[in-house]
Amino acid sequence: MSVLFRVAPLDAAYDRAAFSSGSEPLDCYFREQVTQDVRRRVAACFVALADGQSIAGYYTLASASLLLSGLPASAGKKLPRYPTVPAVRMGRLAVDRAFKGQGLGGALLADALDRTSRSEIAAYALMVDAKDETAAAFYRHHGFIALPDSSLALFLPLATVLPCLKQP
Ligand SMILES: CC(C)(COP(=O)(O)OP(=O)(O)OC[C@H]1O[C@@H](n2cnc3c(N)ncnc32)[C@H](O)[C@@H]1OP(=O)(O)O)[C@@H](O)C(=O)NCCC(=O)NCCS
């Protein structure tokens, strides 16, 4: 049976206590810290709702920057010679165990790319710090490129995804 999800900004009315992705740091952050981060405006959090109220997945976004010298030469040479380029960091992404393998992780990633691309504030790329090699493989599967100095730090230039996101 397929489930329809709705993505919305995190709201205090949603029950975070039952959320379980299998990653204790990601679950603990979601239970205990995310609302503080949202209140202090150091992160924005979006959730996938499976039936109006129950949370099937979440991700966070915040402003960030990428060192120009840290980018692969092929990407860096197309950019202005500023020390950094603007980016948006997806700090966390997690799907509840009950909903894994159904395309929700990919859909949340697409939602984050869409939101970031639609912003009036420019960003060169969406970047992520993958928590391990399995997570990095998930991002590579979706076109992210690892930074030369760290296989767990990856980025996706937004200009490359814009044509896929634009509605006819
Ligand atoms: C990583 C995670 C978000 C993926 O969510 P999911 O809903 O199970 O993944 P999806 O069903 O959307 O998978 C989408 C695609 O990614 C692929 N994929 C999933 N995990 C993958 C992995 N580790 N490596 C490579 N590809 C992967 C799927 O095969 C699928 O491919 P397709 O679209 O070509 O069929 C989820 O497993 C999770 O919450 N893991 C624990 C937390 C975590 O690792 N977060 C990562 C951020 S640090």
Side-chain angles (χ1 to χ4, degrees), residues 19-23 26-27 56-58 90-97 99-109 128-142:
F19 183 80
S20 172
S21 70
S23 162
L26 286 170
D27 296 348
Y58 82 91
M90 192 163 69
R92 288 168 175 90
L93 166 68
V95 168
D96 189 279
R97 280 191 264 223
F99 297 95
K100 278 189 186 172
Q102 299 176 31
L104 182 57
L108 286 174
L109 195 50
V128 293
D129 291 308
K131 68 178 179 57
D132 55 28
E133 181 46 42
T134 307
F138 171 79
Y139 291 117
R140 285 198 305 271
H141 178 81
H142 289 91

